[in-house]
Amino acid sequence: MDERNKNREERDTDQSNSRALYEEMTKLNNELAMAQRKLAKKTSQLERINEQKNMMLGMAAHDLRNPLSAILGFSSLLLEDHEESGCFTDQQLDFIREIHSSSKLMLHMVEDMLDISSIESGKVEINRQEVDLVDLMRHTASLYRGESDKKGIALCLQLTDEPRRIEADRHKLVQVLNNLLSNAIKYSESGTTVTLGMHEEKANDSVTFFVRDEGVGISEEDIDKLFQPFAKLKSRPTAGERSTGLGLAITRKIVQAHGGRIRVESEVGRGSTFYVSLPTGGARNDSRG
Protein backbone atom coordinates (compact mmCIF):
# COMPACT_ATOMS: atom_id res chain seq x y z
CA MET A 1 0.00 0.00 0.00
CA ASP A 2 2.80 2.38 0.91
CA GLU A 3 4.54 1.60 -2.39
CA ARG A 4 1.41 2.41 -4.40
CA ASN A 5 0.97 5.70 -2.52
CA LYS A 6 4.58 6.54 -3.18
CA ASN A 7 4.22 5.88 -6.92
CA ARG A 8 1.02 7.93 -7.06
CA GLU A 9 2.75 10.83 -5.32
CA GLU A 10 5.65 10.66 -7.79
CA ARG A 11 3.25 10.69 -10.76
CA ASP A 12 1.37 13.62 -9.28
CA THR A 13 4.64 15.44 -8.75
CA ASP A 14 5.76 14.75 -12.35
CA GLN A 15 2.43 15.94 -13.72
CA SER A 16 2.59 19.06 -11.57
CA ASN A 17 6.13 19.78 -12.77
CA SER A 18 5.10 19.21 -16.39
CA ARG A 19 2.16 21.60 -16.04
CA ALA A 20 4.40 24.20 -14.42
CA LEU A 21 6.98 23.81 -17.20
CA TYR A 22 4.27 24.04 -19.88
CA GLU A 23 2.79 27.14 -18.26
CA GLU A 24 6.27 28.72 -18.03
CA MET A 25 7.04 27.91 -21.68
CA THR A 26 3.64 29.27 -22.74
CA LYS A 27 4.31 32.47 -20.80
CA LEU A 28 7.77 32.86 -22.35
CA ASN A 29 6.40 32.16 -25.83
CA ASN A 30 3.71 34.81 -25.37
CA GLU A 31 6.32 37.30 -24.13
CA LEU A 32 8.52 36.50 -27.16
CA ALA A 33 5.60 36.98 -29.55
CA MET A 34 4.78 40.31 -27.92
CA ALA A 35 8.42 41.40 -28.13
CA GLN A 36 8.51 40.46 -31.82
CA ARG A 37 5.35 42.50 -32.50
CA LYS A 38 6.86 45.49 -30.68
CA LEU A 39 10.11 45.11 -32.63
CA ALA A 40 8.24 44.89 -35.95
CA LYS A 41 6.28 48.02 -35.06
CA LYS A 42 9.44 49.89 -34.04
CA THR A 43 11.22 48.76 -37.22
CA SER A 44 8.33 50.03 -39.33
CA GLN A 45 8.42 53.37 -37.52
CA LEU A 46 12.19 53.69 -38.03
CA GLU A 47 11.83 52.85 -41.73
CA ARG A 48 9.23 55.61 -42.13
CA ILE A 49 11.42 58.08 -40.23
CA ASN A 50 14.44 57.15 -42.36
CA GLU A 51 12.39 57.55 -45.54
CA GLN A 52 11.23 61.00 -44.40
CA LYS A 53 14.81 61.90 -43.51
CA ASN A 54 16.03 60.89 -46.97
CA MET A 55 13.23 62.86 -48.62
CA MET A 56 13.94 66.01 -46.59
CA LEU A 57 17.68 65.64 -47.13
CA GLY A 58 17.15 65.34 -50.87
CA MET A 59 14.81 68.35 -50.97
CA ALA A 60 17.20 70.52 -48.94
CA ALA A 61 20.21 69.52 -51.03
CA HIS A 62 18.28 70.12 -54.26
CA ASP A 63 17.21 73.59 -53.14
CA LEU A 64 20.76 74.48 -52.14
CA ARG A 65 22.37 73.37 -55.39
CA ASN A 66 21.18 76.25 -57.59
CA PRO A 67 22.30 79.15 -55.36
CA LEU A 68 25.62 77.45 -54.67
CA SER A 69 26.15 76.95 -58.41
CA ALA A 70 25.45 80.66 -58.92
CA ILE A 71 27.95 81.68 -56.20
CA LEU A 72 30.59 79.37 -57.70
CA GLY A 73 29.92 80.73 -61.19
CA PHE A 74 30.09 84.39 -60.17
CA SER A 75 33.30 83.86 -58.17
CA SER A 76 34.83 82.11 -61.21
CA LEU A 77 33.95 85.14 -63.36
CA LEU A 78 35.55 87.49 -60.83
CA LEU A 79 38.76 85.43 -60.85
CA GLU A 80 38.80 85.48 -64.66
CA ASP A 81 38.31 89.27 -64.64
CA HIS A 82 41.25 89.66 -62.27
CA GLU A 83 43.47 87.53 -64.51
CA GLU A 84 42.66 89.82 -67.42
CA SER A 85 42.78 93.23 -65.70
CA GLY A 86 44.18 92.80 -62.17
CA CYS A 87 41.21 94.77 -60.87
CA PHE A 88 41.26 93.53 -57.25
CA THR A 89 43.60 94.14 -54.35
CA ASP A 90 45.45 91.20 -52.81
CA GLN A 91 43.02 91.13 -49.89
CA GLN A 92 39.98 91.23 -52.18
CA LEU A 93 41.48 88.45 -54.29
CA ASP A 94 41.99 86.30 -51.19
CA PHE A 95 38.34 86.81 -50.27
CA ILE A 96 37.17 85.83 -53.75
CA ARG A 97 39.37 82.73 -53.78
CA GLU A 98 37.96 81.70 -50.40
CA ILE A 99 34.40 82.24 -51.68
CA HIS A 100 35.20 80.17 -54.76
CA SER A 101 36.87 77.38 -52.80
CA SER A 102 34.15 77.20 -50.14
CA SER A 103 31.27 77.28 -52.62
CA LYS A 104 32.95 74.57 -54.69
CA LEU A 105 33.31 72.34 -51.61
CA MET A 106 29.72 73.02 -50.54
CA LEU A 107 28.40 72.24 -54.02
CA HIS A 108 30.29 68.93 -54.01
CA MET A 109 28.85 68.17 -50.58
CA VAL A 110 25.31 68.95 -51.76
CA GLU A 111 25.75 66.72 -54.81
CA ASP A 112 27.12 63.94 -52.59
CA MET A 113 24.14 64.36 -50.24
CA LEU A 114 21.79 63.99 -53.20
CA ASP A 115 23.60 60.81 -54.20
CA ILE A 116 23.47 59.38 -50.66
CA SER A 117 19.80 60.30 -50.38
CA SER A 118 18.97 58.56 -53.66
CA ILE A 119 21.05 55.49 -52.83
CA GLU A 120 19.66 55.00 -49.33
CA SER A 121 16.08 55.51 -50.49
CA GLY A 122 16.57 52.71 -53.01
CA LYS A 123 15.89 55.04 -55.93
CA VAL A 124 19.36 54.87 -57.45
CA GLU A 125 19.20 53.58 -61.02
CA ILE A 126 21.96 51.75 -62.81
CA ASN A 127 21.57 52.44 -66.52
CA ARG A 128 23.63 49.67 -68.02
CA GLN A 129 25.18 50.00 -71.44
CA GLU A 130 28.24 48.61 -73.13
CA VAL A 131 31.22 50.56 -71.83
CA ASP A 132 34.85 50.34 -72.93
CA LEU A 133 36.49 50.40 -69.50
CA VAL A 134 39.98 51.04 -70.90
CA ASP A 135 38.85 54.11 -72.85
CA LEU A 136 36.86 55.35 -69.86
CA MET A 137 39.87 55.02 -67.54
CA ARG A 138 42.21 56.79 -69.97
CA HIS A 139 39.77 59.67 -70.43
CA THR A 140 39.10 60.08 -66.70
CA ALA A 141 42.83 60.00 -65.88
CA SER A 142 43.47 62.75 -68.44
CA LEU A 143 41.16 65.04 -66.46
CA TYR A 144 43.46 64.71 -63.43
CA ARG A 145 46.76 65.44 -65.20
CA GLY A 146 46.60 69.11 -64.29
CA GLU A 147 45.82 68.40 -60.65
CA SER A 148 48.59 65.81 -60.31
CA ASP A 149 51.13 67.98 -62.14
CA LYS A 150 50.29 70.89 -59.86
CA LYS A 151 51.26 68.79 -56.82
CA GLY A 152 54.30 67.24 -58.55
CA ILE A 153 52.74 63.77 -58.60
CA ALA A 154 53.27 61.37 -61.51
CA LEU A 155 50.05 59.83 -62.85
CA CYS A 156 50.85 56.45 -64.40
CA LEU A 157 48.55 54.13 -66.40
CA GLN A 158 48.88 50.35 -66.53
CA LEU A 159 46.27 49.51 -69.15
CA THR A 160 46.02 47.23 -72.14
CA ASP A 161 45.84 48.73 -75.63
CA GLU A 162 42.84 46.52 -76.42
CA PRO A 163 39.29 47.64 -75.55
CA ARG A 164 37.69 45.96 -72.53
CA ARG A 165 33.93 46.15 -72.71
CA ILE A 166 31.60 45.57 -69.79
CA GLU A 167 27.92 46.21 -69.09
CA ALA A 168 27.80 49.14 -66.65
CA ASP A 169 26.55 52.66 -65.97
CA ARG A 170 29.16 54.89 -67.62
CA HIS A 171 28.32 58.02 -65.62
CA LYS A 172 28.50 56.22 -62.29
CA LEU A 173 31.78 54.48 -63.15
CA VAL A 174 33.24 57.92 -63.89
CA GLN A 175 32.04 58.97 -60.45
CA VAL A 176 33.85 56.00 -58.88
CA LEU A 177 37.07 56.76 -60.74
CA ASN A 178 36.81 60.47 -59.87
CA ASN A 179 36.53 59.70 -56.16
CA LEU A 180 39.43 57.23 -56.14
CA LEU A 181 41.80 59.34 -58.26
CA SER A 182 40.93 62.53 -56.40
CA ASN A 183 41.64 60.88 -53.04
CA ALA A 184 44.88 59.30 -54.26
CA ILE A 185 46.22 62.69 -55.36
CA LYS A 186 44.82 64.45 -52.31
CA TYR A 187 46.65 62.13 -49.88
CA SER A 188 49.96 61.94 -51.79
CA GLU A 189 53.13 63.98 -51.47
CA SER A 190 55.09 65.66 -54.25
CA GLY A 191 57.53 63.31 -55.96
CA THR A 192 55.33 60.20 -55.60
CA THR A 193 53.33 58.22 -58.15
CA VAL A 194 49.63 57.45 -58.51
CA THR A 195 48.89 54.42 -60.70
CA LEU A 196 45.63 53.53 -62.40
CA GLY A 197 45.58 49.98 -63.74
CA MET A 198 43.44 46.98 -64.57
CA HIS A 199 43.57 43.19 -64.66
CA GLU A 200 41.04 40.53 -65.56
CA GLU A 201 39.74 37.64 -63.50
CA LYS A 202 38.51 35.24 -66.16
CA ALA A 203 37.80 32.50 -63.61
CA ASN A 204 34.81 34.41 -62.20
CA ASP A 205 33.97 36.48 -65.30
CA SER A 206 34.93 39.82 -63.80
CA VAL A 207 37.37 42.65 -64.30
CA THR A 208 39.27 44.54 -61.60
CA PHE A 209 40.73 48.01 -61.81
CA PHE A 210 42.84 49.63 -59.12
CA VAL A 211 44.13 53.00 -57.99
CA ARG A 212 47.45 52.85 -56.15
CA ASP A 213 49.23 55.72 -54.41
CA GLU A 214 52.41 56.17 -52.40
CA GLY A 215 50.80 58.54 -49.95
CA VAL A 216 50.17 58.76 -46.23
CA GLY A 217 48.37 55.42 -46.00
CA ILE A 218 45.45 54.33 -43.81
CA SER A 219 45.60 52.74 -40.37
CA GLU A 220 43.83 49.43 -39.68
CA GLU A 221 41.48 51.27 -37.33
CA ASP A 222 40.49 53.71 -40.08
CA ILE A 223 40.07 50.98 -42.72
CA ASP A 224 37.20 49.55 -40.66
CA LYS A 225 35.24 52.81 -40.98
CA LEU A 226 36.63 54.00 -44.31
CA PHE A 227 33.41 53.55 -46.31
CA GLN A 228 31.08 55.06 -43.70
CA PRO A 229 29.55 58.49 -44.44
CA PHE A 230 31.27 61.40 -42.64
CA ALA A 231 33.81 59.05 -41.02
CA LYS A 232 36.54 60.88 -39.10
CA LEU A 233 39.91 59.47 -40.15
CA LYS A 234 43.41 60.12 -38.87
CA SER A 235 44.89 60.56 -42.37
CA ARG A 236 44.98 64.12 -43.62
CA PRO A 237 45.38 65.55 -47.16
CA THR A 238 48.95 66.58 -47.86
CA ALA A 239 48.20 70.09 -49.14
CA GLY A 240 45.31 71.09 -46.92
CA GLU A 241 42.63 69.96 -49.39
CA ARG A 242 39.12 69.58 -48.02
CA SER A 243 36.66 66.74 -48.40
CA THR A 244 32.93 66.11 -47.99
CA GLY A 245 33.52 62.77 -46.25
CA LEU A 246 30.97 61.07 -48.52
CA GLY A 247 32.97 60.08 -51.60
CA LEU A 248 34.02 56.57 -50.56
CA ALA A 249 30.60 55.77 -49.07
CA ILE A 250 29.02 56.67 -52.41
CA THR A 251 31.71 54.77 -54.30
CA ARG A 252 30.99 51.56 -52.39
CA LYS A 253 27.22 51.93 -52.92
CA ILE A 254 27.71 52.38 -56.67
CA VAL A 255 30.05 49.39 -56.91
CA GLN A 256 27.63 47.21 -54.93
CA ALA A 257 24.73 48.35 -57.12
CA HIS A 258 26.70 46.96 -60.08
CA GLY A 259 27.05 43.63 -58.28
CA GLY A 260 30.74 44.31 -57.64
CA ARG A 261 32.95 44.79 -54.61
CA ILE A 262 35.59 47.25 -53.44
CA ARG A 263 38.46 46.61 -51.07
CA VAL A 264 41.59 48.41 -49.93
CA GLU A 265 45.11 47.44 -48.97
CA SER A 266 47.12 50.05 -47.12
CA GLU A 267 50.09 50.67 -44.88
CA VAL A 268 50.64 53.87 -42.95
CA GLY A 269 53.40 55.89 -44.58
CA ARG A 270 53.61 53.57 -47.60
CA GLY A 271 50.40 54.27 -49.49
CA SER A 272 47.11 52.61 -50.39
CA THR A 273 45.61 50.56 -53.21
CA PHE A 274 41.86 50.47 -53.87
CA TYR A 275 40.59 47.53 -55.91
CA VAL A 276 37.20 47.57 -57.66
CA SER A 277 35.95 44.28 -59.11
CA LEU A 278 32.98 44.36 -61.49
CA PRO A 279 31.11 41.60 -63.30
CA THR A 280 31.63 41.80 -67.05
CA GLY A 281 27.93 41.33 -67.71
CA GLY A 282 28.60 39.28 -70.82
CA ALA A 283 29.76 42.27 -72.85
CA ARG A 284 31.90 41.57 -75.90
CA ASN A 285 35.65 41.82 -75.47
CA ASP A 286 36.92 42.54 -78.96
CA SER A 287 38.38 45.41 -80.93
CA ARG A 288 35.29 46.33 -82.94
CA GLY A 289 33.76 49.85 -82.75
Side-chain angles (χ1 to χ4, degrees), residues 181-232:
L181 285 170
S182 175
N183 279 349
I185 294 170
K186 190 180 299 181
Y187 289 92
S188 293
E189 298 280 2
S190 176
T192 60
T193 299
V194 169
T195 303
L196 174 62
M198 183 184 72
H199 62 265
E200 295 191 49
E201 299 178 21
K202 295 182 179 179
N204 56 9
D205 196 25
S206 67
V207 62
T208 297
F209 64 85
F210 62 88
V211 176
R212 178 180 297 123
D213 66 62
E214 300 169 352
V216 298
I218 308 164
S219 67
E220 290 186 13
E221 177 186 353
D222 280 351
I223 286 179
D224 291 337
K225 55 186 178 181
L226 190 61
F227 297 100
Q228 298 174 11
F230 303 112
K232 297 295 183 181

Side-chain angles (χ1 to χ4, degrees), residues 40 42-54:
K42 181 63 69 175
T43 300
S44 178
Q45 290 174 343
L46 290 174
E47 287 175 348
R48 287 198 299 272
I49 292 171
N50 189 58
E51 184 177 345
Q52 291 173 352
K53 179 266 294 180
N54 287 332

Side-chain angles (χ1 to χ4, degrees), residues 82-144:
H82 182 78
E83 289 180 3
E84 293 178 0
S85 60
C87 52
F88 298 111
T89 66
D90 289 345
Q91 186 181 46
Q92 289 172 333
L93 186 59
D94 286 341
F95 290 158
I96 296 170
R97 284 172 175 162
E98 182 60 29
I99 291 170
H100 184 268
S101 175
S102 297
S103 59
K104 185 177 181 180
L105 176 67
M106 291 175 67
L107 183 59
H108 285 165
M109 183 176 292
V110 163
E111 290 173 343
D112 285 347
M113 288 168 64
L114 284 169
D115 284 333
I116 283 288
S117 178
S118 297
I119 289 169
E120 290 191 347
S121 66
K123 296 179 181 177
V124 62
E125 294 183 1
I126 300 298
N127 300 312
R128 294 181 184 273
Q129 57 182 296
E130 190 173 89
V131 176
D132 180 357
L133 187 58
V134 174
D135 178 70
L136 184 68
M137 293 170 70
R138 289 187 186 280
H139 174 71
T140 306
S142 69
L143 302 178
Y144 283 86

Side-chain angles (χ1 to χ4, degrees), residues 13-27:
T13 300
D14 289 341
Q15 290 175 355
S16 177
N17 289 338
S18 295
R19 283 195 300 271
L21 180 60
Y22 175 78
E23 290 172 358
E24 183 65 22
M25 291 181 65
T26 301
K27 178 184 176 183

